[in-house]
């Protein structure tokens, strides 16, 4: 399928400085991003501005999204925006017996191109995606239900950052051995030395499968996609059936860039499914599939880990995130920080806090001692205040991603005393959008019947104010929650050095990422690429972290050829 | 158990230059080793010379090898040297319910010491082992059956090299994030920047289990042992019941060094088993065990991968190694190189060639065309010549490691036409040693009934001269053998550029390490630490390579603590 000899020279000048800065930032862990966060930053240099992005999005609605993939045996679609409208897009349905072998055809040339050329091609794909961030924002908004600005930032530059981060890790990992032939000479005393010429080639494992999720199709999809592609694999993208469009746009861009630079476009392909078809299970067990990245339920993640034995499997599954509240010297800052964390995208983030552990005798604050009831009431007040204005509420909450979340939200009110009731928010532009404020439910941590609630992931705008006997009790419950249920994030508020040390010790021992005393504009549910690790890979919530060396190093192998010198 | 504050400052001066040189060599892949290969290099600077090493070995025979481990509930032993004598050493038998929790007690201090201190302690352990290389050589010889010089080199400096290599990879991987607190500041236009302080701590996963093998107790044991220890884990060493002593000496040394530097000696412990007890299976499923390194049969390796789901599992299993013979411009060099490869340690290396694929119409050589029968006869002659002298044969062959190998060797003669018969060699010092020269059996690659022989690992001094229709046929059989059976090594002889390219392509696609046209003093079965990868981790013979980033990067996780700045 490749129409020309691969040419990536022109890309080096364009993207090598970005790659170098990414490599440096991974070591410093400082703030950096090459992709602008502000919507108004787009429009120049060939990128789409707000109007053009919206037009591009509208142009794709109610069309057939043709990718010219081998083995297309039909068309399927049916996405409905959480804001109401049907997207009306039809995507190719693939026959894996045709598509998978076709995806393997381009692997030798992709391998021979080497780590730098692969990284540069990935950076060009990301740059093209970046230029269409306004279009992607609408696609992410109308599949995930995120509010526009969040869909723009998390689905655009932040997702692109995570993709670039994976490319940089992949490049560094593959270039640990010398490029070209290395000479080896072992002295033998008075005899001639033993001499060999050695050549080390990083080779991908084969075809990688990315199984996308409903809530963050690009943010959670890009690390695996780009890590696998940059390490010499082909990548088959299987989106969540309710969030196909952002990944279909991604696949189209990748195929264009690959073909333009002389590589086989089938190195990246899309696999969509008919309603109820469940192709993830079938694809995951195909012998061609050697790597799987998955974000979703624990049940299916565990199934993949146990059954897809021919593949390296990277999973992000359910977890129960805790915030331990011991004391604070900024009560107001704590409340407003927590209120934002609980509200952002209606709590539909894998990093949103669920259980707030509060001593039943209350906590010390800069505004004097506060009882458990006062803390809970003040938090409810802070959330209520934050979301009191409907326009602001809509901008923060977005829409509920699917009916399951709505059902869980409605059921949550029956789990205990409701400290803050959820309310419906009307959306001015989308009357069918299901927008709800979070519910906060009080649970008594000493009552065994409350455990079933707070020791399960209750995904959505639901949190539990769990009363505990003491901070020591909270620490023990935190440990048990991480160990048994996993956690993507842990938060804690304390002015006590010994409590701080004790929370750190639990997180170090149970392998969970900790945010301490956040009272400003950084929230426990947010992580920054190149600096923060998303998950740890060491507790049941995820078997990998985004991104680290382990996330990339087993996606390829190094084959050595030794020759008599 | 720690008797003092950990102190490793003195080790920095002693070992930091060695660590730095190891790190540099991993990038250059040049020849380097800090551990002398020559037996006469030992004796100064506190190291044991030949006489002192032998005396130390004799002093341990017929004694109780006490390690002062918690949970010791009895004593067990029973090793018999492949050279005949009983070793008479008794080792502690452990109650895992006591030992495993005790091993966890020292983990926080070991974690807090940080990557450099852990690396330095590991280098001190290796230095102490190096100083006793003469003693280890006897222990390896009388458990593996290797001849003395090989036991000395492969069991001593080469094993130590592989341990150091793992420590260096582990150090590099853990120091990718900044030590101490890193500051992060994100500009917010006209508003104040968002600021955080971030701290990254590499944390081990828990207790690692090393399951040793009979043939290379130190060489195959050290990479996993040192990779896990250097990444902050405790390590439980479960030796093969016939090869306990070399690993018991290792564990004793590690415990001494740990204790001397203020760490809990129980971070490294020994688990020996009573006859038929099979404790590897029990230990492998314990929740405390989070990492397993295993060298041995495919059946048990596959069982570990499928069942020890709570652990990261690194396995080296069986494989079928092939040498493809197409043509050569140094017929004599090829024959002598192959003869040595087949003879070294009686073919009891996971890297020894088994199948020699030779076109039935013969090959082109610098001595004119040679028919299949001529090549096989000349190879038989070369092996016969190499091993014609009993002293030289004993020095090369060593003893058969166990009765299974002897039984396989005897049965092999019935598999086809014997081109070279095995002969018994008497050992001047050990009349009970079972020393045998290799058998070479002719098999017709076109006959389906021969497949069962050449497509199974036939571990020991057995090789098959498989006739093939053509080099193309050989390439296809090579590909199938690697894909279905796995391979630790592939060798090829060819003067044709296109055949060379075709063999490379098979090895790149099937992920196997290739040696081309070896005719001098480097053999396909040998790999050099810091330069060559042992296995690829990409075919069924092993799921990991010794050593690369992937071998170390998932033995620890990085836990991040973010604080409001």
């Amino acid at each position: 399928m490749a129409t020309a000899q691969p040419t990536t020279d022109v890309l080096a000048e364009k993207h090598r400085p970005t790659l170098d800065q990414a490599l440096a930032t991974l070591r410093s862990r400082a703030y950096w991003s090459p992709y602008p966060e502000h919507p108004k930053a787009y429009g120049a240099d060939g990128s789409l501005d707000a109007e053009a992005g919206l037009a591009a999005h509208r142009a794709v609605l109610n069309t057939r999204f043709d990718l010219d993939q081998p083995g297309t045996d039909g068309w399927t679609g049916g996405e409905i925006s959480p804001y109401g409208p049907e997207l009306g897009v039809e995507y190719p349905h693939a026959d894996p017996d045709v598509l998978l072998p076709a995806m393997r055809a381009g692997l030798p040339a992709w391998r021979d191109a080497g780590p730098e050329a692969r990284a540069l091609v990935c950076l060009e794909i990301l740059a093209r995606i970046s230029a269409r961030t306004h279009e992607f924002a609408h696609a992410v908004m109308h599949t995930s239900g995120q509010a526009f600005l969040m869909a723009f930032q998390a689905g655009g530059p932040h997702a692109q950052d995570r993709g670039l981060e994976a490319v940089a890790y992949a490049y560094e990992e593959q270039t640990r051995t010398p490029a070209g032939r290395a000479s080896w000479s072992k002295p033998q005393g008075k005899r001639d030395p033993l001499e060999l010429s050695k050549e080390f080639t990083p080779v991908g494992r084969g075809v990688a499968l990315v199984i996308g999720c409903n809530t963050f199709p690009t943010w959670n999809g890009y690390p695996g996609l780009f890590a696998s592609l940059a390490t010499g694999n082909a990548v088959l993208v299987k989106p969540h059936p309710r969030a196909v469009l952002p990944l279909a746009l991604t696949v189209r861009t990748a195929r264009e860039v690959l073909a333009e630079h002389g590589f086989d476009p089938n190195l990246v392909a899309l696999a969509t499914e008919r309603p109820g078809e469940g192709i993830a299970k079938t694809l995951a067990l195909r012998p061609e599939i050697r790597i799987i990245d998955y974000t979703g339920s624990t049940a299916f993640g565990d199934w993949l880990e146990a059954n897809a034995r021919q593949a390296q499997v990277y999973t992000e599954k359910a977890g129960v995130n805790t915030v331990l509240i011991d004391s604070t010297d900024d009560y107001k800052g704590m409340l407003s920080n927590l209120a934002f964390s609980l509200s952002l995208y209606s709590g539909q983030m894998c990093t949103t806090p669920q259980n707030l552990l509060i001593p039943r005798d209350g906590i010390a604050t800069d505004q004097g001692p506060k009882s458990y009831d006062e803390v809970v009431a003040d938090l409810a007040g802070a959330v209520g205040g934050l979301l009191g204005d409907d326009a602001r509420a809509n901008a923060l909450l977005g829409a509920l991603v699917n009916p399951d979340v709505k059902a869980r939200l409605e059921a949550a009110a029956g789990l205990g005393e409701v400290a803050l009731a959820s309310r419906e928010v009307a959306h001015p532009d989308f009357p069918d959008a299901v927008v709800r404020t979070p519910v906060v439910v009080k649970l008594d941590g000493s009552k065994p019947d409350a455990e079933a609630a707070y020791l399960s992931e209750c995904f959505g705008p639901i949190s539990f104010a769990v009363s505990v006997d003491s901070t020591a009790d909270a620490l023990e419950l935190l440990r048990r929650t991480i160990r048994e249920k996993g956690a993507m994030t842990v938060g804690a508020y304390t002015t006590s050095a010994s409590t701080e040390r004790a929370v750190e010790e639990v997180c170090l021992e149970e392998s969970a990422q900790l945010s301490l005393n956040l009272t400003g504009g950084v929230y426990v549910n947010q992580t920054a690429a190149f600096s923060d690790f998303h998950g740890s890979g060491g507790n049941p919530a995820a078997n990998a972290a985004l991104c680290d060396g382990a996330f990339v190093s087993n996606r390829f192998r190094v084959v050595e050829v030794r020759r008599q010198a």
Side-chain angles (χ1 to χ4, degrees), chain A:
Chain A
M1 291 276 300
T3 51
Q5 279 301 304
T7 50
T8 55
D9 291 357
V10 65
L11 295 178
E13 196 180 337
K14 195 170 167 191
H15 297 306
R16 183 75 221 196
T18 309
L19 179 60
D20 288 336
Q21 186 60 50
L23 291 165
T25 310
L26 290 179
R27 297 209 162 263
S28 71
R29 314 305 290 187
Y31 170 75
W32 176 71
S33 170
Y35 309 114
E37 269 186 332
H38 201 293
K40 289 188 181 158
Y42 294 80
D45 300 326
S47 67
L48 303 184
D49 64 9
E51 197 180 342
L54 181 58
H57 173 65
R58 286 188 173 150
V60 89
L61 298 177
N62 303 304
T63 65
R64 182 166 277 188
F65 198 103
D66 198 353
L67 287 163
D68 196 22
Q69 289 183 176
T72 298
D73 60 7
W75 299 87
T76 182
E79 291 160 290
I80 300 169
S81 169
Y83 290 92
E86 292 185 17
L87 272 57
V89 187
E90 278 195 324
Y91 305 95
H93 181 278
D95 174 354
D97 289 333
V98 178
L99 180 58
L100 287 170
M103 292 183 73
R104 289 189 51 85
L107 285 172
W110 189 232
R111 175 197 74 211
D112 291 344
E116 188 183 34
R118 286 194 292 272
L120 295 171
V121 167
C122 288
L123 263 67
E124 177 64 15
I125 296 169
L126 286 164
R128 302 263 182 111
I129 289 170
S130 170
R132 303 183 76 86
T133 293
H134 269 286
E135 181 184 9
F136 274 85
H138 292 287
V140 170
M141 174 180 174
H142 286 292
T143 49
S144 71
Q146 290 174 26
F148 179 78
L149 187 62
M150 180 170 178
F152 186 94
Q153 294 185 335
H158 299 174
Q160 295 149 23
D161 282 342
R162 285 287 180 196
L164 173 56
E165 180 185 61
V167 172
Y169 267 112
Y171 174 80
E172 179 155 20
E173 199 69 25
Q174 293 172 90
T175 51
R176 283 184 161 195
T177 50
R181 295 192 185 181
S183 59
W184 181 89
S185 175
K186 179 176 177 179
Q188 296 290 293
K190 290 173 191 160
R191 285 177 294 150
D192 288 342
L194 299 175
E195 299 200 319
L196 291 176
S197 138
K198 301 184 178 186
E199 195 172 4
F200 302 92
T201 306
V203 294
R205 286 184 171 271
V207 182
L209 176 66
V210 173
I211 304 176
C213 68
N214 197 173
T215 48
F216 288 92
T218 56
W219 198 99
N220 274 97
Y222 284 4
L225 192 168
F226 284 99
S228 288
L229 191 60
T231 48
N233 301 281
V235 183
L236 181 60
V237 179
K238 205 300 284 179
H240 191 283
R242 300 175 62 97
V244 180
L245 184 55
L247 289 173
L249 291 169
T250 304
V251 168
R252 180 154 74 186
T253 307
R255 293 172 63 85
E256 281 169 9
V257 172
L258 284 162
E260 278 175 37
H261 294 86
F263 296 102
D264 190 333
N266 295 324
L267 288 168
V268 178
L270 188 74
T272 47
E273 57 194 331
R274 301 195 179 93
E277 195 183 8
I279 58 169
K281 240 176 176 164
T282 317
L283 290 173
L285 301 182
R286 292 280 305 207
E288 297 94 338
I289 299 295
R290 304 298 308 277
I291 300 169
I292 298 174
D293 286 273
Y294 168 74
T295 310
S297 73
T298 295
F300 192 58
D302 288 348
W303 182 89
L304 286 170
E305 290 172 23
N307 292 282
R309 304 295 311 287
Q310 86 291 355
Q312 307 287 320
V313 179
Y314 304 88
T315 58
E316 185 184 318
K317 301 173 284 191
V320 174
N321 303 319
T322 298
V323 177
L324 184 149
I325 302 177
D326 168 78
S327 51
T328 179
D329 57 11
D330 182 0
Y331 188 55
K332 201 177 152 205
M334 176 184 89
L335 293 173
S336 66
N337 188 284
L338 283 175
F340 189 95
S341 282
L342 300 183
S343 303
L344 185 63
Y345 186 29
S346 310
Q348 298 171 121
M349 301 174 74
C350 56
T351 50
T352 304
Q354 174 176 308
N355 294 343
L356 313 171
L357 310 189
I358 309 165
R360 67 182 80 251
D361 294 339
I363 65 169
T365 82
D366 56 322
Q367 297 181 20
K370 299 286 178 184
S371 70
Y372 166 82
D373 283 336
E374 284 173 320
V375 174
V376 178
D378 290 343
L379 178 64
V383 174
L386 180 68
L387 304 175
D389 172 66
D390 274 7
R392 195 168 168 191
N394 274 306
L396 255 184
L397 294 168
L400 297 193
V401 65
N402 62 43
D404 292 348
V405 175
K406 181 162 173 273
R408 261 196 304 273
L409 172 63
E410 286 160 358
L415 295 171
E417 182 190 340
V418 173
L420 175 69
S422 175
R423 73 175 179 92
E424 290 188 35
V425 179
H427 197 291
D429 303 325
F430 298 102
D432 294 335
V434 182
V435 183
R436 297 286 187 279
T437 66
V439 65
V440 179
V441 177
K442 287 175 159 181
L443 294 175
D444 186 336
S446 65
K447 294 212 173 135
D449 60 351
E451 256 191 43
Y454 66 73
L455 277 185
S456 313
E457 187 187 58
C458 199
F459 188 81
I462 301 140
S463 54
F464 301 120
V466 182
S467 63
V468 292
D469 291 342
S470 62
T471 293
D473 188 27
L475 286 163
E476 205 36 55
L477 179 53
L478 170 63
R479 183 187 293 278
R480 193 179 146 212
T481 304
I482 304 170
R483 188 178 292 181
E484 294 177 12
K485 301 298 167 182
M488 294 301 290
T489 60
V490 173
Y493 291 90
T494 182
T495 58
S496 150
S498 66
T499 298
E500 180 173 322
R501 185 70 206 117
V503 180
E504 277 187 73
E505 191 60 31
V506 170
C507 289
L508 289 167
E509 289 183 15
E510 303 302 331
S511 203
Q513 309 298 10
L514 172 62
S515 295
L516 273 169
N517 297 317
L518 296 187
T519 51
V522 176
Y523 305 96
V524 65
N525 20 357
Q526 297 176 320
T527 62
F530 311 109
S531 183
D532 297 319
F533 294 105
H534 176 73
S536 77
N539 71 56
N543 78 357
L546 302 179
C547 283
D548 62 9
F551 188 69
V552 300
S553 58
N554 228 341
R555 293 175 193 258
F556 69 99
R557 302 282 73 213
V558 176
V559 173
E560 181 184 351
V561 179
R562 307 192 296 185
R563 291 174 172 83
Q564 192 80 36

